Amino acid sequence: QSVLTQPPSVSGAPGQRVTISCTGSSSNIGAAYDVHWYQQLPGTAPKLLIYGNSNRPSGVPDRFSGSKSGTSASLAITGLQAEDEADYYCQSYDSSLSGSVVFGGGTKLTVL
Amino acid sequence: EVQLVESGGGLVKPGGSLRLSCAASGFTFSYYSINWVRQAPGKGLEWVSSISSSSSYIYYADSVKGRFTISRDNAKNSLYLQMNSLRAEDTAVYYCARSSGRYCSGGSCRASNWFDPWGQGTLVTVSS
């Protein structure tokens, strides 16, 4: 069971908007630690998608956006495309744990 | 090009040992903390261990503490993970990933810790 909770799956049709939530607690997201997001395409290594809650690395389309509020964070994908079908993970820091890096359980995005 | 390449994975019996390596290129390795993250088959990501740029700070997940040892050789641009007393539940793809620690947004700068880039991973299978 992950410290950060994500829905196991979400889906949407091409062109639609989907959101993926990442729910934490007062020892991680709620303690003002940043949330970062990764995309993992099938059979590949994870790739950084969003850092510092809402910042996109160069090369990441502006269809991807992140936000954070209270003990939760969200990843939004607009104008859904077939190539967005992947697993998405949130990551943060937890002050109550040894080493402190925590990941969400991951969300499988299916493009219908 | 910034790159991390893992090696050393394979099949090992329960109770056995294995040493993973991660070769870095395209950036000043000695400036960055580096991490190991693993992914069991069909499962999510699990952070395993981190080591600071000069090896002064080392952290482990509780699941591997006392069995795994992280180390680095900055002269060789390399990261290592010595894995002892391996268990079936250690079966996973092991990734090395660079920590990137500071960003500026909205007129202010702050420290943070995200992972970029990641290597392609190396598979460790623990089975009799």
Side-chain angles (χ1 to χ4, degrees), chain B residues 25-88:
Chain B
S25 60
F27 66 99
T28 306
F29 182 73
S30 61
Y31 285 4
Y32 292 87
S33 295
I34 310 289
N35 309 268
W36 287 103
V37 178
R38 68 184 180 184
Q39 186 171 34
K43 303 296 184 182
L45 302 173
E46 179 189 15
W47 170 81
V48 172
S49 182
S50 297
I51 186 168
S52 64
S53 57
S54 61
S55 304
S56 298
Y57 300 97
I58 288 176
Y59 304 98
Y60 298 99
D62 287 343
S63 58
V64 306
K65 198 174 295 183
R67 300 187 298 123
F68 290 11
T69 302
I70 191 171
S71 63
R72 63 190 295 164
D73 185 335
N74 286 343
K76 295 183 177 179
N77 291 340
S78 293
L79 172 76
Y80 306 102
L81 186 68
Q82 178 66 44
M83 304 186 296
N84 298 331
S85 304
L86 282 162
R87 307 166 180 167

